[in-house]
Amino acid sequence: MRYHTIKREVSDTSALLAQDARALSDIQQHIRLTYHTIVLAHHQIHQLSVSVLTANFAIEAAYACFDIDLPEAVTRVSTKRKLDFLTGRLAAKLALQALGLAHFTVLKGKYGEPLWPDGMTGSISHTGDKTSCTAICCAYRQSSMQNCSAIGVDIEAKINNVCFERDEPQHYAFLNDQEAMALVEYSCGTHPNHYIYLMIFSAKESLIKAIYAKYNVLLSFLAFEYMGVSGDVMTFTVIDSTQKAQGNGLAQAVMQVQWVITEQHIITICSIS
C-alpha cells in the first residue's frame, strides 16, 4: 500500500497540545498520548491515540489542559463519548497546527460534522472503547489542493471485524442484497479477504463525509454500491436516485476510496475533485 508513517514521542506531542505546563504534568499521570502521521493517497493524516491510565479519571480535566472546547451537549454523554470527542478534536488541533493555525476551535455542525476555518476543509474519525480511543484527522487549505475540494476519512479498529462474523451478509444494514451476494466470495472464496466487510463499511463512511462536505447532501450507506477493489483502491457507484443526488449530478457517479490496513486499524480516505 502506498503509505508511510512518522512517529512522534509522547512527551513532545503532549507539550505541543497543552496550554499549561503544570496542568500537563498532572494530566500525564492519568492519560497517555501516542501520535503518528500517515501519508495516504498524497494526503497527510494525523493519527492520535489517547489511553486513560487511571480508573474514574475525570476526562473533563483533559479538555481544560489541552484547551479543547467542551460543548454543552457533550457534557451530558457517556465518558466514552467524551473521550471520543476529545481525541478527535486533539487530532484536529494537531492537523491545524501543522498548517500554522494553533488556536482555532473546531466546532460541531448540524449533523456533527466539524466546522473548519474559512478556506480550509477536513475530516475527522475515531474508534475505541471506554479507556482508549484512536482518532484521525486530515485537514488542508483548499487553495493548496487544486485537484481536491472535499475529503472524508474513516478509521475502524480491526478487532471490530468480529461484528461481521456473527451474522450473514444479507443482514448487514450497510449492504444491499446484490452487494451481500457478491461479497460471499471475498470471505469464503479461494482468496478470502476477512476484512472486506469492515473495509466497505469504512469506505462508505468516508464517501458519506466527502459528499456531505462538497454538496451539503447527506446520503445513506445504501446510496453506494460496491463495485470492486484493485490494489489499494475500492470503487463504488452512487445508486441513489432521489432528487438530492440527481440535483448534484451524483446519480450513477463512479467514486473511488483509498484504503490501508495497519497493525490495528483500517483507514479509508475519499477525496472529491
Side-chain angles (χ1 to χ4, degrees):
M1 304 303 167
R2 298 190 299 270
Y3 83 103
H4 65 267
T5 63
I6 301 171
K7 298 183 179 180
R8 300 188 66 163
E9 293 297 324
V10 174
S11 59
D12 178 44
T13 302
S14 301
L16 182 65
L17 290 166
Q19 303 297 307
D20 184 308
R22 179 176 295 180
L24 173 61
S25 177
D26 292 338
I27 214 75
Q28 286 181 321
Q29 302 176 46
H30 304 289
I31 63 174
R32 180 177 66 244
L33 275 59
T34 307
Y35 174 44
H36 312 266
T37 59
I38 299 173
V39 178
L40 177 62
H42 307 294
H43 294 283
Q44 186 176 55
I45 298 174
H46 298 260
Q47 178 176 326
L48 180 74
S49 297
V50 178
S51 300
V52 178
L53 307 176
T54 307
N56 300 318
F57 170 65
I59 198 68
E60 292 83 357
Y63 278 82
C65 175
F66 297 120
D67 194 29
I68 299 297
D69 180 66
L70 179 60
E72 182 179 353
V74 179
T75 64
R76 300 190 294 269
V77 301
S78 66
T79 299
K80 178 187 180 303
R81 279 293 297 121
K82 291 176 183 174
L83 179 60
D84 290 344
F85 190 84
L86 172 72
T87 310
R89 288 315 191 260
L90 286 174
K93 187 171 184 177
L94 287 166
L96 291 177
Q97 284 184 346
L99 296 170
L101 292 174
H103 303 293
F104 184 84
T105 299
V106 179
L107 300 177
K108 289 177 64 175
K110 180 180 179 180
Y111 295 105
E113 75 279 9
L115 301 178
W116 303 98
D118 290 341
M120 298 187 66
T121 189
S123 183
I124 302 171
S125 180
H126 54 72
T127 184
D129 54 33
K130 293 180 180 179
T131 60
S132 65
C133 180
T134 298
I136 58 173
C137 178
C138 181
Y140 59 89
R141 300 183 188 278
Q142 291 171 315
S143 60
S144 68
M145 299 292 289
Q146 296 180 356
N147 296 322
C148 179
S149 60
I151 200 164
V153 299
D154 185 70
I155 183 170
E156 302 293 336
K158 288 164 65 176
I159 194 172
N160 290 338
N161 198 59
V162 69
C163 298
F164 303 115
E165 299 171 358
R166 300 171 181 166
D167 216 339
E168 295 299 320
Q170 60 265 30
H171 296 155
Y172 302 158
F174 64 96
L175 297 176
N176 62 36
D177 292 341
Q178 185 171 331
E179 288 175 306
M181 292 178 59
L183 286 170
V184 171
E185 64 180 273
Y186 284 96
S187 57
C188 304
T190 307
H191 302 288
N193 182 338
H194 299 294
Y195 292 108
I196 189 65
Y197 296 110
L198 192 59
M199 287 165 54
I200 292 174
F201 177 85
S202 178
K204 289 191 175 186
E205 285 275 9
S206 291
L207 283 163
I208 289 169
K209 292 177 181 179
I211 285 179
Y212 184 79
K214 181 171 177 64
Y215 300 105
N216 199 34
V217 170
L218 188 62
L219 298 182
S220 71
F221 283 108
L222 297 181
F224 310 96
E225 185 166 283
Y226 172 74
M227 304 304 294
V229 58
S230 177
D232 58 357
V233 177
M234 285 184 281
T235 302
F236 295 81
T237 299
V238 180
I239 60 173
D240 191 308
S241 59
T242 61
Q243 181 59 43
K244 61 182 179 181
Q246 292 181 342
N248 290 283
L250 290 170
Q252 300 305 309
V254 176
M255 308 191 74
Q256 294 186 325
V257 178
Q258 301 262 162
W259 64 276
V260 66
I261 297 181
T262 66
E263 183 177 349
Q264 295 182 324
H265 300 99
I266 289 173
I267 296 173
T268 59
I269 182 169
C270 175
S271 56
I272 301 177
S273 59

